[in-house]
Amino acid sequence: MISGCCTQFLPLLPPMHVAVRVDLSGPSDICPSVIAMTKEENKGAAEDPAQSKKALKKQQKEAEKAAKKAEKQAKLASEQQAEDEEDFAKDRYGVPAMIQSQEKSDRVLVRVKDLTVENADKTVWVRARVHTSRAKGKQCFLVLRQQQFNVQALVAVGDRASKQMVKFAANITKESIVDVEGIIRKVDQKIESCTQQDVELHVERIYVISAAEPRLPLQLEDAVRAETEGEEEGRATVNQDTRLDNRVIDLRTSTSQAVFGLQSGICQLFRETLTQKGFVEIQTPKIISAASEGGANVFTVSYFKTSAYLAQSPQLYKQMCICADFEKVFCIGPVFRAEDSNTHRHLTEFVGLDIEMVFNYHYHEVVDEIADTLVQIFKGLQKRFQTEIQTVCKQFPCEPFKFLEPTLRLEYKEGVAMLREAGVEMGDEEDLSTPNEKLLGRLVKEKYDTDFYILDKYPLAVRPFYTMPDPQDPKYSNSYDMFMRGEEILSGAQRVHDAQLLTDRAQHHGIDLEKIKSYIDSFRFGAPPHAGGGIGLERVTMLYLGLHNVRQTSMFPRDPKRLTP
Amino acid sequence: MISGCCTQFLPLLPPMHVAVRVDLSGPSDICPSVIAMTKEENKGAAEDPAQSKKALKKQQKEAEKAAKKAEKQAKLASEQQAEDEEDFAKDRYGVPAMIQSQEKSDRVLVRVKDLTVENADKTVWVRARVHTSRAKGKQCFLVLRQQQFNVQALVAVGDRASKQMVKFAANITKESIVDVEGIIRKVDQKIESCTQQDVELHVERIYVISAAEPRLPLQLEDAVRAETEGEEEGRATVNQDTRLDNRVIDLRTSTSQAVFGLQSGICQLFRETLTQKGFVEIQTPKIISAASEGGANVFTVSYFKTSAYLAQSPQLYKQMCICADFEKVFCIGPVFRAEDSNTHRHLTEFVGLDIEMVFNYHYHEVVDEIADTLVQIFKGLQKRFQTEIQTVCKQFPCEPFKFLEPTLRLEYKEGVAMLREAGVEMGDEEDLSTPNEKLLGRLVKEKYDTDFYILDKYPLAVRPFYTMPDPQDPKYSNSYDMFMRGEEILSGAQRVHDAQLLTDRAQHHGIDLEKIKSYIDSFRFGAPPHAGGGIGLERVTMLYLGLHNVRQTSMFPRDPKRLTP
């Protein structure tokens, strides 16, 4: 009950995309047949309605075309019927019923990356996507893709495959998932376009497991094209909104797979390092009764008959864990900022990697631990994710990320002096603007040859209320930011651990004490000196890889204008 | 500039709690003095106003008492003054300035757990909390606590400590954090009440780093008392609301430290196991444009000029990652349910451990992987967290958690049959009620001797729209729950991976297709068969340890009535 497809390629036109759709008439329908074909339309220029003569002529031409097409299709259909009857390979291809766990199978599916010369001449089953297909006489070349690996597969008319089978294969839409049985054959000439360069798969059976619709919203090859190549050679690239609107397809590219593989690695290395250092992982609530960083930029949630807020950071809770004797804690979780900023580095929801720990006598004990954690992450990425780094670099070329050991630490005052020397006018207690931050990054890179450094001792006025003032100069504070390629990725400080001073500081910032009562009360029953910081995961990923937009490193980014997918 | 305290204990009355408060007149104030003392009042029975004679007598008595007290205090004050002048140890104790990172120090602070006979006769510095203190003539015994470890410390009048120093030590409030220098001394008789039973610390210097207020909202010894002991011996235990209102103190108990240490271990084992199995960690958005599980029980967020929802699960996103070729993914993150359920096992925000993976031909491939992941967690906890398990067991006695390998899998029909046999009346397609769920757990335990099992093939009607129907019987589905000690901890299924069937099922459930468009569209461009499940972290912790309320295993629980701390 499996039927092949009945179209032929018209020479010089782009190949037709044929939809192979499964008929879902019932769950017990084991072998539904192919029921629909659609042809991708060529995009024409918009027509001027005034040009009626031209339009008429065009209509006539189209009518003729349609008639010819109908005639041809009728002919093809009758040919097809004849072919169907005599198709000796008709059980070797088709569209089986949707996999609904009808039965268990001990069939082994081999990974594409394991299709190598060592396994030459073995017959194997592979499940993969049709990356591209190209029919050529009695042959059809497919590129089968599995994550970042791909292999060439050949369906050729012969003992095992019929003409109809080759046609069927040629008509499988790009991105469809197929099960293929084939023999691994060594090739004489390397296949440069595939990761498996030394072999190809000679297809014996091919079944469509899940058919893709013929019209893809974006082409994978466009989505991985280097921007420079696109510009220089006038080839298509995909703009960011199209990518994000069709994120499921965009995420299939080798670049995306590498970005998010590496991002998963950052989390893993962060946890590994901290667990080794004796930290405990905590889980903090995201629905909170009071805005943690003052009232601004906070999302409001309807909470039964009252309202609540989304946590702008786990700040208050990780500190409460410190007061509860957990000593060294970390957490990884979403952080919410209702900031109407539409920049390359702001998201309304991002992933925070948070650290908080007690120290003995000086908050630099904590700064050193955090900096070392980041250095361990950088090193781990270099070591374990070299393939991913290279893959991303192909599309988005950039210099390797440089860092020093121990990490460079400058005082805010020194940073301001460097900026002033470079012609910037700014006050002592003024915060760094984004351009100044970047400029300082360049100056530091020139002088110290590092993409990672710490800026210590910020002016007290530009930091949150819970920041410990500097003991020598009340204008400054025991707080710090860390930067990668000139952009802030971490903000941290020694925290005030005394309830009275905390109350004074909150009042100074105009914060409603009633709302943070349970937080302040946490410090009334013995609180150790402590410090910490929060890291933005998407920023670290972006800046490590030298990318230019944080939306590239958030799987499903949220900004003031984007809530889907 | 350090002054001792000037109170004495009145015999037969409970010891006074003396507040050691730091004067915060300025950051450069190195040696603030003790400025306040408060006495904990004895709780008397409520007085009947009619008993005026009695009351009068009492008043007289109290006046006499007060007069005596004043006299005594005056005497003490003059004695104190004399003593202050001649205190040879006055630099060996006190309240130094708040640690504001004034200077770096290479002083090594030794961990309480390292105070052992092997280190006898060494002089060490320790930072710890004052767990209890007891003055006795010229001596003061302190128990110093550091997380779950504690040690006895002795301040005794002699060469190194003066009378005033002993008094100072005796008056340090419970839960204050102190820096102590002392000599580790072997003791002849084991100190049963401490974890460090073979040594005590002979104090040479003692400084208050952070003073606790004298009136603790709950006593740690009450908070760790076994319920049975409380009931039988009429001793105080702490009720749940008091614990949660003062969570920072409640979390300091050895039981809480063990519970959350073990919970951190569950996350670690979950990730370790899955990473080893080739899974990738993903981060999914929590602010979403459409309710993922239909419209009910969802929190609404104000999102700039529009509104959004809080994700009830990462369901749609982890499936989209499957469609994006990540193949095997997991995530750990908050999950939000606006359910007005005030039960022992419902929270409005909890931590979901989510898994999603492709399979080849049958969803049991996934079920086996998930069950094995849980088994690896159970084994890992047994192996690495035995101390924590024992600690919790002391306060909340329970049978060790039992499981089989491979995990027991029953069909829903079998479960219903067992319940019917036990006298329960229920329909074939009816969902399990909580009492029936628990009863079935007991029946399974009796018959198979396991606390962990899988119930497979639920009726389709009681599962979400994206659940794959059973291929043989459309009344059932390829879905499953997993249970620990008779309570559900995981819900999962094979998902519909065909856009058309998914559309039909969503319509059948009355879901607005427009709202889940980007989700359904994800399946239009080739989607592999896949299955997964979501685990509730707090429930796993609770049931593994045999606790009875999920609020015990959530650091800062959220329910319809609780938003703080």
Side-chain angles (χ1 to χ4, degrees), chain A residues 54 56 70 78 86 89 186 201 249 271 278 290 306 317 345 361 376 387 397 450 453 461 463 469 475 528 557:
Chain A
K54 226 176 179 174
L56 198 70
S78 80
E86 64 197 48
K186 192 172 179 301
L201 200 59
I249 299 176
R271 283 186 305 246
T306 176
Y317 291 91
R345 64 176 183 172
Y361 298 103
Q376 296 311 320
T387 313
T450 178
Y453 76 100
R463 307 298 279 197
K475 272 190 190 169

Side-chain angles (χ1 to χ4, degrees), chain A residues 12 23 111 118 238 316 329 498 536:
Chain A
L12 302 176
D23 179 7
R111 304 292 298 174
E118 289 75 35
V238 182
L316 311 192
V329 297
D498 178 272

Side-chain angles (χ1 to χ4, degrees), chain A residues 24 98-105 107 109 111 127 129 145-147 175 177 179 210-213 215-217 248-249 251-252 257 260 264 267-268 271 275 280-283 285-287 289 299-304 308 310 317 320-321 323-327 334 336 338-340 348-349 351 359-364 409 468-471 478 494 497-498 500-501 518 522 524-529 555-556 558-560 562-565, chain B residues 24 98-105 107 109 111 127 129 145-147 175 177 179 210-213 215-217 248-249 251-252 257 260 264 267-268 271 275 280-283 285-287 289 299-304 308 310 317 320-321 323-327 334 336 338-340 348-349 351 359-364 409 468-469 471 478 494 497-498 500-501 518 522 524-529 555-556 558-560 562-565:
Chain A
L24 289 165
M98 175 171 61
I99 292 179
Q100 218 177 332
S101 307
Q102 287 87 344
E103 52 189 342
K104 297 190 178 183
S105 165
R107 180 186 291 167
L109 297 179
R111 304 292 298 174
R127 177 170 297 170
R129 286 191 191 273
R145 189 186 82 238
Q146 196 172 65
Q147 296 185 317
E175 293 302 304
I177 295 172
D179 271 10
S210 176
E213 290 190 0
R215 217 183 239 283
L216 291 174
V248 163
I249 299 176
L251 287 176
R252 291 179 192 167
Q257 294 275 321
F260 292 100
S264 166
C267 293
Q268 208 180 314
R271 283 186 305 246
T275 304
V280 172
E281 181 176 12
I282 55 167
Q283 308 290 341
K286 304 308 164 199
I287 302 182
S289 60
F299 287 114
T300 309
V301 185
S302 300
Y303 196 81
F304 302 99
L310 289 183
Y317 291 91
M320 284 160 80
C321 287
C323 294
D325 287 350
F326 285 92
E327 294 193 356
F336 307 93
E339 240 177 297
D340 200 0
T348 52
E349 178 181 344
V351 177
F359 63 82
N360 296 342
Y361 298 103
H362 200 290
Y363 74 97
H364 280 177
R409 186 175 60 228
M468 182 63 87
D470 180 286
N478 293 348
Q494 175 180 354
H497 62 281
D498 178 272
Q500 189 52 54
L501 180 56
S518 67
S522 308
R524 297 193 189 282
F525 307 101
M555 266 198 183
F556 302 99
R558 295 290 178 258
D559 65 33
R562 178 172 291 279
L563 259 175
T564 52
Chain B
L24 289 164
M98 177 171 58
I99 293 179
Q100 217 178 333
S101 305
Q102 287 87 343
E103 52 188 341
K104 297 192 178 183
S105 164
R107 181 185 292 168
L109 297 179
R111 303 293 297 174
R127 177 170 296 170
R129 286 192 191 272
R145 190 184 81 238
Q146 197 172 64
Q147 295 185 319
E175 294 301 305
I177 297 173
D179 271 9
S210 175
E213 291 191 359
R215 218 181 241 281
L216 292 174
V248 163
I249 298 176
L251 286 175
R252 290 178 192 170
Q257 294 275 322
F260 293 99
S264 166
C267 294
Q268 207 180 317
R271 284 186 304 247
T275 304
V280 172
E281 180 175 12
I282 55 167
Q283 308 289 341
K286 304 307 163 200
I287 301 182
S289 60
F299 287 113
T300 309
V301 186
S302 300
Y303 196 81
F304 301 101
L310 288 184
Y317 291 91
M320 285 161 80
C321 287
C323 295
D325 288 350
F326 285 92
E327 295 193 355
F336 307 93
E339 240 177 296
D340 199 0
T348 52
E349 178 180 345
V351 177
F359 63 82
N360 296 342
Y361 298 103
H362 199 289
Y363 75 97
H364 280 178
R409 185 173 62 227
M468 181 64 87
N478 294 348
Q494 177 180 352
H497 63 281
D498 178 89
Q500 188 52 55
L501 180 56
S518 67
S522 308
R524 297 193 190 282
F525 307 101
M555 266 196 183
F556 302 99
R558 295 290 178 255
D559 64 33
R562 178 172 290 280
L563 259 174
T564 49

Side-chain angles (χ1 to χ4, degrees), chain B residues 166-412:
Chain B
V166 173
K167 267 188 212 165
F168 174 84
N171 285 324
I172 298 172
T173 49
K174 279 207 269 187
E175 294 301 305
S176 293
I177 297 173
V178 292
D179 271 9
V180 163
E181 190 189 36
I183 304 171
I184 304 169
R185 295 289 189 203
K186 192 171 178 301
V187 291
D188 298 330
Q189 207 171 356
K190 270 191 193 300
I191 301 166
E192 298 290 346
S193 58
C194 288
T195 59
Q196 308 315 101
Q197 305 198 325
D198 303 317
V199 296
E200 65 181 7
L201 201 60
H202 288 202
V203 176
E204 306 238 309
R205 294 174 198 269
I206 183 163
Y207 302 100
V208 174
I209 295 304
S210 175
E213 291 191 359
R215 218 181 241 281
L216 292 174
L218 58 91
Q219 302 299 321
L220 267 83
E221 55 271 33
D222 298 341
V224 291
R225 188 160 290 133
E227 276 166 41
T228 48
E229 193 191 328
E231 280 164 23
E232 284 164 21
E233 304 177 22
R235 300 176 75 177
T237 53
V238 182
N239 76 40
Q240 189 171 270
D241 274 329
T242 305
R243 284 179 192 278
L244 296 181
D245 287 340
N246 303 285
R247 193 58 160 163
V248 163
I249 298 176
D250 184 46
L251 286 175
R252 290 178 192 170
T253 65
S254 49
T255 306
S256 293
Q257 294 275 322
V259 166
F260 293 99
L262 182 128
Q263 184 165 82
S264 166
I266 293 174
C267 294
Q268 207 180 317
L269 286 159
F270 177 77
R271 284 186 304 247
E272 257 180 44
T273 309
L274 291 173
T275 304
Q276 227 158 30
K277 287 177 189 287
F279 280 72
V280 172
E281 180 175 12
I282 55 167
Q283 308 289 341
T284 67
K286 304 307 163 200
I287 301 182
I288 58 176
S289 60
S292 45
E293 314 274 333
N297 301 334
V298 63
F299 287 113
T300 309
V301 186
S302 300
Y303 196 81
F304 301 101
K305 279 167 192 160
T306 176
S307 66
Y309 304 101
L310 288 184
Q312 292 156 297
S313 78
Q315 185 60 34
L316 311 190
Y317 291 91
K318 60 183 185 165
Q319 285 192 260
M320 285 161 80
C321 287
I322 292 297
C323 295
D325 288 350
F326 285 92
E327 295 193 355
K328 297 170 168 192
V329 297
F330 73 88
C331 55
I332 297 185
V335 162
F336 307 93
R337 303 277 165 95
E339 240 177 296
D340 199 0
S341 303
N342 293 282
T343 78
H344 78 286
R345 63 175 185 175
H346 284 89
L347 293 171
T348 52
E349 178 180 345
F350 63 90
V351 177
L353 309 181
D354 269 88
I355 293 179
E356 201 74 23
M357 70 174 267
V358 298
F359 63 82
N360 296 342
Y361 298 103
H362 199 289
Y363 75 97
H364 280 178
E365 298 165 30
V366 179
V367 175
D368 291 346
E369 283 287 59
I370 298 177
D372 181 61
T373 302
L374 281 159
V375 165
Q376 296 312 321
I377 292 173
F378 302 151
K379 284 180 164 180
L381 293 179
Q382 273 182 350
K383 207 170 140 189
R384 300 190 210 164
F385 291 87
Q386 206 45 244
T387 314
E388 283 79 1
I389 295 168
Q390 296 308 326
T391 303
V392 176
C393 212
K394 251 183 245 165
Q395 182 171 5
F396 301 100
C398 98
E399 293 292 307
F401 187 79
K402 282 193 170 177
F403 57 94
L404 302 173
E405 281 194 81
T407 302
L408 174 68
R409 185 173 62 227
L410 298 175
E411 292 217 351
Y412 194 81

Side-chain angles (χ1 to χ4, degrees), chain A residues 452-503:
Chain A
F452 176 57
Y453 76 100
I454 305 164
L455 203 56
D456 193 20
K457 297 244 161 257
Y458 269 67
L460 182 61
V462 304
R463 307 298 279 197
F465 75 95
Y466 47 74
T467 307
M468 182 63 87
D470 180 286
Q472 271 82 45
D473 185 344
K475 272 190 190 169
Y476 288 89
S477 66
N478 293 348
S479 69
Y480 39 89
D481 276 6
M482 299 191 186
F483 297 86
M484 288 173 65
R485 299 196 201 260
E487 298 197 44
E488 183 249 309
I489 55 124
L490 172 140
S491 201
Q494 175 180 354
R495 327 295 186 177
V496 175
H497 62 281
D498 178 272
Q500 189 52 54
L501 180 56
L502 195 56
T503 304

